[in-house]
């Protein structure tokens, strides 16, 4: 009787794992990521670069990818003692376009790109969106890196 019960419990657990794996496969690989924003009021209120950053932030929240901003990178350098606060403030002042960056910013943007591209991330820079001589409400310049999480890694973390 004990052998039978253990066998039934084991089969039940394996069935649950299989069902969850199939559901995760369907959600993470067969459904469009854009469906997350179908009824998202915050997404529709954002514009330009803010909308793109919000999209990546939400995808990270839902487990689709790893997302790291340039400011997070600079803050980690400060925590590690490789950078002081004054230099961090200078390095954090991205220009509206890459050619507008000062030398300190160029140096750290290059370090950011090298560091994350070596780990398989895609580095993306969004230039400022201008309305005449002013930056649009959601058009501030952005720099970030992202990498898709493999489905098996997501499943492993879940279980």
């Amino acid at each position: 009787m004990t052998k039978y019960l253990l066998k039934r419990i084991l089969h039940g657990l394996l069935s649950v794992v299989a069902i969850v794996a199939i559901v995760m496969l369907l959600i993470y690989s067969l459904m469009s990521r854009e469906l997350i924003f179908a009824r998202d009021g915050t997404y529709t209120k954002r514009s330009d670069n803010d909308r793109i950053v919000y999209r990546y932030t939400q995808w990270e929240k839902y487990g689709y990818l790893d997302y790291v901003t340039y400011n997070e990178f600079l803050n980690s350098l400060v925590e590690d003692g490789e950078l002081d606060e004054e230099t961090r403030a200078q390095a954090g002042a991205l220009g509206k376009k890459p050619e507008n960056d000062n030398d300190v910013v160029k140096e750290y943007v290059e370090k950011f790109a090298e560091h994350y591209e070596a780990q398989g991330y895609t580095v993306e820079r969004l230039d400022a969106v201008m309305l005449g001589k002013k930056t649009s409400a959601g058009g501030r310049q952005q720099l970030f890196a992202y990498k898709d999480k493999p489905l098996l890694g997501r499943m492993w973390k879940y279980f």
Side-chain angles (χ1 to χ4, degrees), residues 25-52:
L25 175 74
L26 291 172
I27 290 173
Y28 284 115
S29 62
L30 299 177
M31 287 180 59
S32 172
R33 292 179 183 183
E34 298 295 326
L35 291 175
I36 295 171
F37 308 109
R39 295 186 183 218
D40 189 347
T42 306
Y43 181 74
T44 57
K45 292 177 185 174
R46 296 182 183 254
S47 62
D48 299 326
N49 293 346
D50 279 349
R51 180 177 276 192
I52 295 168

Side-chain angles (χ1 to χ4, degrees), residues 61-143:
K61 177 182 169 186
Y62 290 119
Y64 284 101
L65 50 83
D66 284 326
Y67 169 76
V68 181
T69 65
Y70 177 62
N71 285 331
E72 289 172 359
F73 171 72
L74 293 177
N75 290 337
S76 71
L77 291 179
V78 170
E79 288 174 10
D80 294 343
E82 297 177 34
L83 190 64
D84 61 20
E85 278 296 326
E86 184 179 324
T87 310
R88 192 206 72 71
Q90 289 176 347
L94 286 172
K96 293 179 181 177
K97 293 183 179 180
E99 55 269 10
N100 297 346
D101 290 344
N102 62 40
D103 293 335
V104 175
V105 172
K106 285 180 183 177
E107 176 187 345
Y108 283 98
V109 165
E110 187 176 318
K111 285 182 182 181
F112 175 77
E114 287 175 7
H115 178 74
Y116 284 103
E117 285 175 349
Q119 296 178 28
Y121 284 75
T122 302
V123 175
E124 189 169 333
R125 181 170 182 157
L126 304 173
D127 293 338
V129 178
M130 304 300 291
L131 293 174
K133 292 185 179 184
K134 288 181 112 181
T135 305
S136 76
R140 204 183 69 206
Q141 60 274 17
Q142 303 283 342
L143 178 63

